[in-house]
Amino acid sequence: MQGLNPIEPHIQKPTDCIAYLALRFPATYAQIASALLQISERVPEWRPQSVLELGCGPGTGILAAKSVWPGLASATGLDQEQLFLSLAEEILYGSQMALDATWVKSTVLKWVQSEEKTTYDLIIVGNVLNELPQEERDILIQKISSRSGGIVVFIEPGTNVGNTLIAEVAGMVSGVQHLIAPYIDNTLVENGDFWIHFSQRFQRPEFQRRIRQAMRESPLMASDWEDAKYCYVAWGNVPGQKTIWGQCVGHVEKQKGFLTIPVLTKEGVIHPRVLKRNKADYNYAKNIRWGELLESPITTS
Ligand SMILES: C[S@@+](CC[C@H](N)C(=O)[O-])C[C@H]1O[C@@H](n2cnc3c(N)ncnc32)[C@H](O)[C@@H]1O
């Protein structure tokens, strides 16, 4: 975790932006779209009209949000890098998505400390926290909800650092804001030794696969699929939240004669065991997907 000292920006020159587009963008699009889909499952009737992405880079979260909620009418992307904003504008234009977009060159800190009162239905902060010093993170997390008219979501890579950052955000907002996802019934669960994170498989187009290959030491061609791991937390005041018992937070593990499933419940992460001899329960449980919402408890006897 970084302290108060300014963090060296990851993006320092134009080629860094292009490299980000070529390499990271498909993965961050996959993780953000996947997190937003999970949120849409939790609040199936919610239809946001406006989205703001802080630290938008090439507009990743905005594009993902429009694919999950096609009714989105307006988008604001904020970033401190003009080249990223220009790329975001060009990509959105090329996508032909019907979205009234505004691009703002600013720092996150300036935005959150401004007198501006506009609120947004959906605010996305994707893969940015790890670039902010602790002091800025704290200010952002404390103030961001006042600019939300719906849901705020923070997403980070599913790494040790990403998990620690998201756990920190969840800890700061819990008790003050209503947690929507991935937690159950607004109940914060400590990460402990178990990282609550998710995985989204995605496929790169051929030219990106070749770029990735060029960075590998192995002469064997890189696979055309990858898994983007991520963790996230979303909160807000949106009616119609789906009632569920738990969410699968990892792969089903098959053992001799039984399987176990890691499930996030409001009591914590549990690992119910389903015996193979209970055929119907076993057949149901073995097909549970990582990330799947579980409406009722898994039968274990
Ligand atoms: C890793 S990229 C993430 C881009 C996009 N959200 C995504 O997930 O693909 C981080 C972005 O945050 C921007 N950024 C970093 N620190 C910032 C700050 N203090 N204010 C505004 N933007 C910032 C960077 O310029 C960069 O575009």
Side-chain angles (χ1 to χ4, degrees):
M1 298 286 290
Q2 301 286 341
L4 291 177
N5 299 332
I7 296 172
E8 183 102 332
H10 295 184
I11 304 293
Q12 302 201 0
K13 43 188 195 305
T15 44
D16 294 339
C17 293
I18 306 298
Y20 188 86
L21 261 190
L23 216 62
R24 289 293 298 142
F25 177 60
T28 59
Y29 178 87
Q31 36 136 272
I32 298 176
S34 182
L36 297 182
L37 265 175
Q38 284 196 25
I39 294 168
S40 73
E41 281 184 67
R42 295 294 188 99
V43 281
E45 279 143 39
W46 186 57
R47 302 276 181 274
Q49 291 293 302
S50 58
V51 58
L52 164 70
E53 184 179 17
L54 296 177
C56 64
T60 325
I62 290 172
L63 297 166
K66 181 73 177 173
S67 72
V68 174
W69 292 284
L72 268 173
S74 69
T76 304
L78 178 145
D79 205 286
Q80 63 187 8
E81 293 298 331
Q82 183 54 50
L83 180 56
F84 259 145
L85 294 171
S86 305
L87 284 169
E89 187 170 12
E90 209 175 313
I91 292 169
L92 184 65
Y93 181 76
S95 77
Q96 299 187 343
M97 285 177 171
L99 207 46
D100 183 9
T102 307
W103 306 104
V104 179
K105 184 174 183 305
S106 170
T107 65
V108 167
L109 190 63
K110 239 192 234 163
W111 173 81
V112 83
Q113 290 184 322
S114 77
E115 295 299 315
E116 176 66 61
K117 294 280 185 287
T118 311
T119 58
Y120 303 86
D121 294 346
L122 173 65
I123 303 182
I124 302 170
V125 188
N127 304 296
V128 179
L129 272 191
N130 63 69
E131 298 190 20
L132 302 181
Q134 175 91 53
E135 196 181 31
E136 288 189 25
R137 287 205 297 270
D138 290 350
I139 297 171
L140 176 65
I141 298 160
Q142 279 155 11
K143 293 186 172 242
I144 196 168
S145 302
S146 68
R147 304 290 295 279
S148 165
I151 292 179
V152 180
V153 54
F154 279 71
I155 303 153
E156 287 292 317
T159 58
N160 191 3
V161 173
N163 274 277
T164 310
L165 286 167
I166 291 298
E168 182 181 284
V169 179
M172 281 176 75
V173 299
S174 123
V176 186
Q177 304 293 333
H178 184 91
L179 296 175
I180 290 181
Y183 302 102
I184 316 292
D185 278 359
N186 187 26
T187 308
L188 179 68
V189 163
E190 298 295 333
N191 247 330
D193 292 337
F194 191 97
W195 294 354
I196 299 166
H197 72 293
F198 300 92
S199 181
Q200 178 61 52
R201 186 155 290 193
F202 68 99
Q203 214 169 359
R204 288 181 186 272
E206 184 57 26
F207 77 94
Q208 285 190 340
R209 193 175 166 205
R210 277 187 272 119
I211 294 169
R212 190 164 160 251
Q213 178 63 27
M215 298 179 65
R216 277 160 59 93
E217 280 174 15
S218 165
L220 292 176
M221 188 61 181
S223 64
D224 66 352
W225 58 267
E226 280 165 68
D227 289 325
K229 302 272 168 49
Y230 65 95
C231 43
Y232 77 102
V233 60
W235 67 89
N237 280 316
V238 174
Q241 200 174 333
K242 192 170 174 163
T243 308
I244 54 166
W245 166 71
Q247 181 168 19
C248 177
V249 285
H251 289 302
V252 170
E253 282 196 23
K254 286 189 185 157
Q255 315 273 353
K256 199 160 185 271
F258 67 93
L259 55 73
T260 60
I261 309 131
V263 184
L264 172 66
T265 69
K266 64 180 177 182
E267 276 80 39
V269 177
I270 59 168
H271 300 263
R273 178 187 277 219
V274 182
L275 301 180
K276 198 166 189 175
R277 66 166 183 258
N278 298 331
K279 265 196 180 156
D281 296 337
Y282 187 90
N283 284 339
Y284 160 70
K286 79 176 183 200
N287 291 317
I288 291 174
R289 285 174 299 103
W290 189 350
E292 187 170 331
L293 302 185
L294 305 169
E295 290 187 13
S296 44
I298 288 171
T299 314
T300 52
S301 58

mmCIF file of all heavy atoms in Angstrom, residues 91-125:
data_model
loop_
_atom_site.group_PDB
_atom_site.id
_atom_site.type_symbol
_atom_site.label_atom_id
_atom_site.label_comp_id
_atom_site.label_asym_id
_atom_site.label_seq_id
_atom_site.Cartn_x
_atom_site.Cartn_y
_atom_site.Cartn_z
ATOM 1 N N ILE A 91 -12.726 6.581 -29.926
ATOM 2 C CA ILE A 91 -13.234 5.201 -29.820
ATOM 3 C C ILE A 91 -14.764 5.221 -29.691
ATOM 4 O O ILE A 91 -15.467 4.445 -30.338
ATOM 5 C CB ILE A 91 -12.579 4.460 -28.627
ATOM 6 C CG1 ILE A 91 -11.098 4.242 -28.908
ATOM 7 C CG2 ILE A 91 -13.272 3.128 -28.361
ATOM 8 C CD1 ILE A 91 -10.296 3.774 -27.715
ATOM 9 N N LEU A 92 -15.265 6.130 -28.858
ATOM 10 C CA LEU A 92 -16.719 6.197 -28.683
ATOM 11 C C LEU A 92 -17.395 6.584 -30.001
ATOM 12 O O LEU A 92 -18.409 6.001 -30.384
ATOM 13 C CB LEU A 92 -17.087 7.184 -27.572
ATOM 14 C CG LEU A 92 -18.582 7.249 -27.264
ATOM 15 C CD1 LEU A 92 -19.084 5.914 -26.698
ATOM 16 C CD2 LEU A 92 -18.910 8.357 -26.284
ATOM 17 N N TYR A 93 -16.783 7.532 -30.707
ATOM 18 C CA TYR A 93 -17.336 7.952 -31.999
ATOM 19 C C TYR A 93 -17.368 6.758 -32.955
ATOM 20 O O TYR A 93 -18.372 6.478 -33.604
ATOM 21 C CB TYR A 93 -16.490 9.095 -32.575
ATOM 22 C CG TYR A 93 -16.994 9.600 -33.900
ATOM 23 C CD1 TYR A 93 -18.120 10.420 -33.972
ATOM 24 C CD2 TYR A 93 -16.355 9.226 -35.092
ATOM 25 C CE1 TYR A 93 -18.597 10.864 -35.202
ATOM 26 C CE2 TYR A 93 -16.820 9.674 -36.315
ATOM 27 C CZ TYR A 93 -17.939 10.490 -36.371
ATOM 28 O OH TYR A 93 -18.408 10.921 -37.574
ATOM 29 N N GLY A 94 -16.251 6.023 -32.986
ATOM 30 C CA GLY A 94 -16.150 4.861 -33.882
ATOM 31 C C GLY A 94 -17.143 3.767 -33.515
ATOM 32 O O GLY A 94 -17.568 3.003 -34.372
ATOM 33 N N SER A 95 -17.491 3.684 -32.248
ATOM 34 C CA SER A 95 -18.424 2.624 -31.810
ATOM 35 C C SER A 95 -19.847 2.908 -32.265
ATOM 36 O O SER A 95 -20.689 2.016 -32.236
ATOM 37 C CB SER A 95 -18.414 2.504 -30.279
ATOM 38 O OG SER A 95 -19.172 3.568 -29.712
ATOM 39 N N GLN A 96 -20.126 4.139 -32.623
ATOM 40 C CA GLN A 96 -21.465 4.582 -33.043
ATOM 41 C C GLN A 96 -22.513 4.390 -31.963
ATOM 42 O O GLN A 96 -23.704 4.265 -32.244
ATOM 43 C CB GLN A 96 -21.888 3.875 -34.330
ATOM 44 C CG GLN A 96 -20.946 4.185 -35.481
ATOM 45 C CD GLN A 96 -21.440 3.645 -36.806
ATOM 46 O OE1 GLN A 96 -22.297 2.785 -36.867
ATOM 47 N NE2 GLN A 96 -20.897 4.164 -37.875
ATOM 48 N N MET A 97 -22.055 4.329 -30.705
ATOM 49 C CA MET A 97 -23.019 4.226 -29.608
ATOM 50 C C MET A 97 -23.722 5.570 -29.442
ATOM 51 O O MET A 97 -23.071 6.619 -29.514
ATOM 52 C CB MET A 97 -22.294 3.905 -28.300
ATOM 53 C CG MET A 97 -21.831 2.478 -28.197
ATOM 54 S SD MET A 97 -20.914 2.241 -26.665
ATOM 55 C CE MET A 97 -20.726 0.466 -26.666
ATOM 56 N N ALA A 98 -25.026 5.510 -29.209
ATOM 57 C CA ALA A 98 -25.780 6.755 -29.023
ATOM 58 C C ALA A 98 -25.586 7.232 -27.590
ATOM 59 O O ALA A 98 -26.219 6.730 -26.662
ATOM 60 C CB ALA A 98 -27.256 6.497 -29.299
ATOM 61 N N LEU A 99 -24.646 8.134 -27.418
ATOM 62 C CA LEU A 99 -24.290 8.596 -26.076
ATOM 63 C C LEU A 99 -23.794 10.025 -26.188
ATOM 64 O O LEU A 99 -22.896 10.322 -26.974
ATOM 65 C CB LEU A 99 -23.169 7.687 -25.553
ATOM 66 C CG LEU A 99 -22.973 7.474 -24.065
ATOM 67 C CD1 LEU A 99 -24.275 7.195 -23.339
ATOM 68 C CD2 LEU A 99 -22.000 6.335 -23.831
ATOM 69 N N ASP A 100 -24.400 10.886 -25.394
ATOM 70 C CA ASP A 100 -23.994 12.280 -25.388
ATOM 71 C C ASP A 100 -22.789 12.404 -24.431
ATOM 72 O O ASP A 100 -22.960 12.309 -23.221
ATOM 73 C CB ASP A 100 -25.195 13.097 -24.891
ATOM 74 C CG ASP A 100 -24.914 14.568 -24.903
ATOM 75 O OD1 ASP A 100 -23.874 14.950 -25.451
ATOM 76 O OD2 ASP A 100 -25.728 15.321 -24.348
ATOM 77 N N ALA A 101 -21.584 12.540 -24.988
ATOM 78 C CA ALA A 101 -20.393 12.428 -24.135
ATOM 79 C C ALA A 101 -19.694 13.768 -23.899
ATOM 80 O O ALA A 101 -19.627 14.618 -24.786
ATOM 81 C CB ALA A 101 -19.413 11.448 -24.759
ATOM 82 N N THR A 102 -19.170 13.923 -22.686
ATOM 83 C CA THR A 102 -18.370 15.093 -22.314
ATOM 84 C C THR A 102 -17.049 14.573 -21.775
ATOM 85 O O THR A 102 -17.035 13.634 -20.971
ATOM 86 C CB THR A 102 -19.080 15.879 -21.179
ATOM 87 O OG1 THR A 102 -20.414 16.145 -21.591
ATOM 88 C CG2 THR A 102 -18.375 17.176 -20.863
ATOM 89 N N TRP A 103 -15.960 15.177 -22.217
ATOM 90 C CA TRP A 103 -14.637 14.731 -21.767
ATOM 91 C C TRP A 103 -14.000 15.853 -20.969
ATOM 92 O O TRP A 103 -13.904 16.985 -21.444
ATOM 93 C CB TRP A 103 -13.771 14.327 -22.972
ATOM 94 C CG TRP A 103 -14.490 13.307 -23.816
ATOM 95 C CD1 TRP A 103 -15.107 13.516 -25.011
ATOM 96 C CD2 TRP A 103 -14.703 11.924 -23.489
ATOM 97 N NE1 TRP A 103 -15.685 12.353 -25.463
ATOM 98 C CE2 TRP A 103 -15.457 11.355 -24.552
ATOM 99 C CE3 TRP A 103 -14.336 11.107 -22.422
ATOM 100 C CZ2 TRP A 103 -15.845 10.011 -24.559
ATOM 101 C CZ3 TRP A 103 -14.723 9.770 -22.443
ATOM 102 C CH2 TRP A 103 -15.455 9.236 -23.492
ATOM 103 N N VAL A 104 -13.576 15.537 -19.752
ATOM 104 C CA VAL A 104 -13.078 16.570 -18.837
ATOM 105 C C VAL A 104 -11.627 16.270 -18.471
ATOM 106 O O VAL A 104 -11.325 15.188 -17.940
ATOM 107 C CB VAL A 104 -13.920 16.595 -17.531
ATOM 108 C CG1 VAL A 104 -13.413 17.649 -16.565
ATOM 109 C CG2 VAL A 104 -15.389 16.795 -17.851
ATOM 110 N N LYS A 105 -10.749 17.250 -18.739
ATOM 111 C CA LYS A 105 -9.343 17.072 -18.335
ATOM 112 C C LYS A 105 -9.181 17.652 -16.928
ATOM 113 O O LYS A 105 -9.301 18.865 -16.717
ATOM 114 C CB LYS A 105 -8.413 17.779 -19.312
ATOM 115 C CG LYS A 105 -6.936 17.552 -18.984
ATOM 116 C CD LYS A 105 -6.056 18.161 -20.059
ATOM 117 C CE LYS A 105 -4.583 17.904 -19.821
ATOM 118 N NZ LYS A 105 -4.063 18.323 -18.543
ATOM 119 N N SER A 106 -8.975 16.775 -15.972
ATOM 120 C CA SER A 106 -8.855 17.219 -14.575
ATOM 121 C C SER A 106 -8.250 16.087 -13.762
ATOM 122 O O SER A 106 -8.214 14.938 -14.200
ATOM 123 C CB SER A 106 -10.251 17.551 -14.029
ATOM 124 O OG SER A 106 -10.211 17.751 -12.635
ATOM 125 N N THR A 107 -7.836 16.433 -12.551
ATOM 126 C CA THR A 107 -7.451 15.358 -11.642
ATOM 127 C C THR A 107 -8.689 14.966 -10.838
ATOM 128 O O THR A 107 -9.632 15.756 -10.683
ATOM 129 C CB THR A 107 -6.349 15.799 -10.657
ATOM 130 O OG1 THR A 107 -6.888 16.817 -9.812
ATOM 131 C CG2 THR A 107 -5.121 16.305 -11.375
ATOM 132 N N VAL A 108 -8.663 13.760 -10.340
ATOM 133 C CA VAL A 108 -9.761 13.258 -9.528
ATOM 134 C C VAL A 108 -9.932 14.148 -8.297
ATOM 135 O O VAL A 108 -11.046 14.498 -7.901
ATOM 136 C CB VAL A 108 -9.451 11.793 -9.109
ATOM 137 C CG1 VAL A 108 -10.394 11.324 -8.023
ATOM 138 C CG2 VAL A 108 -9.502 10.871 -10.317
ATOM 139 N N LEU A 109 -8.824 14.554 -7.709
ATOM 140 C CA LEU A 109 -8.880 15.354 -6.482
ATOM 141 C C LEU A 109 -9.569 16.698 -6.740
ATOM 142 O O LEU A 109 -10.438 17.123 -5.982
ATOM 143 C CB LEU A 109 -7.461 15.581 -5.941
ATOM 144 C CG LEU A 109 -7.391 16.184 -4.539
ATOM 145 C CD1 LEU A 109 -8.014 15.236 -3.514
ATOM 146 C CD2 LEU A 109 -5.944 16.490 -4.139
ATOM 147 N N LYS A 110 -9.195 17.338 -7.852
ATOM 148 C CA LYS A 110 -9.807 18.632 -8.195
ATOM 149 C C LYS A 110 -11.306 18.466 -8.369
ATOM 150 O O LYS A 110 -12.101 19.277 -7.914
ATOM 151 C CB LYS A 110 -9.188 19.151 -9.506
ATOM 152 C CG LYS A 110 -8.533 20.504 -9.342
ATOM 153 C CD LYS A 110 -8.223 21.074 -10.687
ATOM 154 C CE LYS A 110 -6.748 21.438 -10.758
ATOM 155 N NZ LYS A 110 -6.281 21.635 -12.107
ATOM 156 N N TRP A 111 -11.694 17.399 -9.047
ATOM 157 C CA TRP A 111 -13.118 17.162 -9.307
ATOM 158 C C TRP A 111 -13.877 16.982 -7.997
ATOM 159 O O TRP A 111 -14.911 17.606 -7.776
ATOM 160 C CB TRP A 111 -13.291 15.918 -10.198
ATOM 161 C CG TRP A 111 -14.728 15.538 -10.343
ATOM 162 C CD1 TRP A 111 -15.644 16.103 -11.197
ATOM 163 C CD2 TRP A 111 -15.436 14.555 -9.583
ATOM 164 N NE1 TRP A 111 -16.875 15.517 -11.012
ATOM 165 C CE2 TRP A 111 -16.778 14.566 -10.030
ATOM 166 C CE3 TRP A 111 -15.078 13.663 -8.570
ATOM 167 C CZ2 TRP A 111 -17.756 13.726 -9.503
ATOM 168 C CZ3 TRP A 111 -16.051 12.824 -8.046
ATOM 169 C CH2 TRP A 111 -17.365 12.858 -8.510
ATOM 170 N N VAL A 112 -13.327 16.139 -7.123
ATOM 171 C CA VAL A 112 -14.090 15.800 -5.914
ATOM 172 C C VAL A 112 -14.118 16.972 -4.925
ATOM 173 O O VAL A 112 -15.015 17.072 -4.092
ATOM 174 C CB VAL A 112 -13.571 14.479 -5.274
ATOM 175 C CG1 VAL A 112 -12.364 14.705 -4.399
ATOM 176 C CG2 VAL A 112 -14.675 13.786 -4.500
ATOM 177 N N GLN A 113 -13.157 17.868 -5.057
ATOM 178 C CA GLN A 113 -13.123 19.008 -4.136
ATOM 179 C C GLN A 113 -13.786 20.259 -4.724
ATOM 180 O O GLN A 113 -13.852 21.278 -4.053
ATOM 181 C CB GLN A 113 -11.678 19.327 -3.748
ATOM 182 C CG GLN A 113 -11.080 18.244 -2.856
ATOM 183 C CD GLN A 113 -9.684 18.582 -2.383
ATOM 184 O OE1 GLN A 113 -8.895 19.146 -3.130
ATOM 185 N NE2 GLN A 113 -9.370 18.207 -1.164
ATOM 186 N N SER A 114 -14.292 20.153 -5.952
ATOM 187 C CA SER A 114 -14.889 21.337 -6.576
ATOM 188 C C SER A 114 -16.276 21.609 -5.991
ATOM 189 O O SER A 114 -16.873 20.758 -5.333
ATOM 190 C CB SER A 114 -14.987 21.146 -8.093
ATOM 191 O OG SER A 114 -16.062 20.296 -8.377
ATOM 192 N N GLU A 115 -16.787 22.781 -6.283
ATOM 193 C CA GLU A 115 -18.100 23.174 -5.766
ATOM 194 C C GLU A 115 -19.234 22.612 -6.627
ATOM 195 O O GLU A 115 -20.405 22.725 -6.273
ATOM 196 C CB GLU A 115 -18.215 24.720 -5.749
ATOM 197 C CG GLU A 115 -17.242 25.402 -4.783
ATOM 198 C CD GLU A 115 -17.484 24.974 -3.341
ATOM 199 O OE1 GLU A 115 -18.655 24.935 -2.920
ATOM 200 O OE2 GLU A 115 -16.492 24.650 -2.656
ATOM 201 N N GLU A 116 -18.855 22.061 -7.772
ATOM 202 C CA GLU A 116 -19.821 21.500 -8.734
ATOM 203 C C GLU A 116 -20.782 20.527 -8.021
ATOM 204 O O GLU A 116 -20.353 19.727 -7.188
ATOM 205 C CB GLU A 116 -18.979 20.793 -9.800
ATOM 206 C CG GLU A 116 -19.682 20.034 -10.866
ATOM 207 C CD GLU A 116 -20.504 20.898 -11.795
ATOM 208 O OE1 GLU A 116 -19.932 21.773 -12.472
ATOM 209 O OE2 GLU A 116 -21.705 20.669 -11.837
ATOM 210 N N LYS A 117 -22.078 20.620 -8.371
ATOM 211 C CA LYS A 117 -23.061 19.802 -7.636
ATOM 212 C C LYS A 117 -23.742 18.733 -8.513
ATOM 213 O O LYS A 117 -24.597 17.991 -8.026
ATOM 214 C CB LYS A 117 -24.172 20.700 -7.052
ATOM 215 C CG LYS A 117 -23.703 21.676 -5.964
ATOM 216 C CD LYS A 117 -23.582 20.963 -4.622
ATOM 217 C CE LYS A 117 -23.228 21.915 -3.493
ATOM 218 N NZ LYS A 117 -21.829 22.379 -3.522
ATOM 219 N N THR A 118 -23.358 18.681 -9.805
ATOM 220 C CA THR A 118 -24.007 17.699 -10.696
ATOM 221 C C THR A 118 -23.862 16.288 -10.122
ATOM 222 O O THR A 118 -22.789 15.915 -9.633
ATOM 223 C CB THR A 118 -23.308 17.716 -12.084
ATOM 224 O OG1 THR A 118 -23.199 19.064 -12.501
ATOM 225 C CG2 THR A 118 -24.068 16.902 -13.107
ATOM 226 N N THR A 119 -24.946 15.532 -10.203
ATOM 227 C CA THR A 119 -24.857 14.136 -9.759
ATOM 228 C C THR A 119 -25.020 13.198 -10.968
ATOM 229 O O THR A 119 -25.525 13.603 -12.015
ATOM 230 C CB THR A 119 -25.948 13.800 -8.711
ATOM 231 O OG1 THR A 119 -27.219 14.055 -9.289
ATOM 232 C CG2 THR A 119 -25.757 14.603 -7.436
ATOM 233 N N TYR A 120 -24.594 11.973 -10.793
ATOM 234 C CA TYR A 120 -24.616 10.976 -11.880
ATOM 235 C C TYR A 120 -25.277 9.700 -11.354
ATOM 236 O O TYR A 120 -25.054 9.315 -10.199
ATOM 237 C CB TYR A 120 -23.185 10.661 -12.337
ATOM 238 C CG TYR A 120 -22.448 11.901 -12.788
ATOM 239 C CD1 TYR A 120 -21.781 12.707 -11.865
ATOM 240 C CD2 TYR A 120 -22.458 12.296 -14.122
ATOM 241 C CE1 TYR A 120 -21.134 13.868 -12.254
ATOM 242 C CE2 TYR A 120 -21.809 13.450 -14.528
ATOM 243 C CZ TYR A 120 -21.149 14.241 -13.593
ATOM 244 O OH TYR A 120 -20.514 15.389 -13.981
ATOM 245 N N ASP A 121 -26.043 9.046 -12.226
ATOM 246 C CA ASP A 121 -26.699 7.798 -11.798
ATOM 247 C C ASP A 121 -25.650 6.733 -11.470
ATOM 248 O O ASP A 121 -25.788 5.989 -10.513
ATOM 249 C CB ASP A 121 -27.608 7.266 -12.919
ATOM 250 C CG ASP A 121 -28.779 8.198 -13.172
ATOM 251 O OD1 ASP A 121 -29.028 9.081 -12.330
ATOM 252 O OD2 ASP A 121 -29.441 8.053 -14.217
ATOM 253 N N LEU A 122 -24.637 6.662 -12.313
ATOM 254 C CA LEU A 122 -23.604 5.639 -12.124
ATOM 255 C C LEU A 122 -22.237 6.313 -12.136
ATOM 256 O O LEU A 122 -21.942 7.091 -13.050
ATOM 257 C CB LEU A 122 -23.690 4.619 -13.280
ATOM 258 C CG LEU A 122 -22.593 3.557 -13.355
ATOM 259 C CD1 LEU A 122 -22.645 2.629 -12.145
ATOM 260 C CD2 LEU A 122 -22.749 2.722 -14.641
ATOM 261 N N ILE A 123 -21.442 6.058 -11.105
ATOM 262 C CA ILE A 123 -20.053 6.554 -11.111
ATOM 263 C C ILE A 123 -19.117 5.345 -11.059
ATOM 264 O O ILE A 123 -19.255 4.482 -10.183
ATOM 265 C CB ILE A 123 -19.759 7.494 -9.916
ATOM 266 C CG1 ILE A 123 -20.738 8.681 -9.905
ATOM 267 C CG2 ILE A 123 -18.312 7.991 -9.977
ATOM 268 C CD1 ILE A 123 -20.487 9.692 -8.788
ATOM 269 N N ILE A 124 -18.185 5.304 -12.008
ATOM 270 C CA ILE A 124 -17.241 4.181 -12.101
ATOM 271 C C ILE A 124 -15.826 4.694 -11.832
ATOM 272 O O ILE A 124 -15.402 5.696 -12.424
ATOM 273 C CB ILE A 124 -17.254 3.562 -13.520
ATOM 274 C CG1 ILE A 124 -18.670 3.085 -13.884
ATOM 275 C CG2 ILE A 124 -16.255 2.418 -13.642
ATOM 276 C CD1 ILE A 124 -18.814 2.685 -15.357
ATOM 277 N N VAL A 125 -15.134 4.015 -10.930
ATOM 278 C CA VAL A 125 -13.715 4.317 -10.716
ATOM 279 C C VAL A 125 -12.974 2.998 -10.933
ATOM 280 O O VAL A 125 -12.960 2.132 -10.055
ATOM 281 C CB VAL A 125 -13.456 4.870 -9.291
ATOM 282 C CG1 VAL A 125 -12.017 5.367 -9.169
ATOM 283 C CG2 VAL A 125 -14.437 5.986 -8.935
#
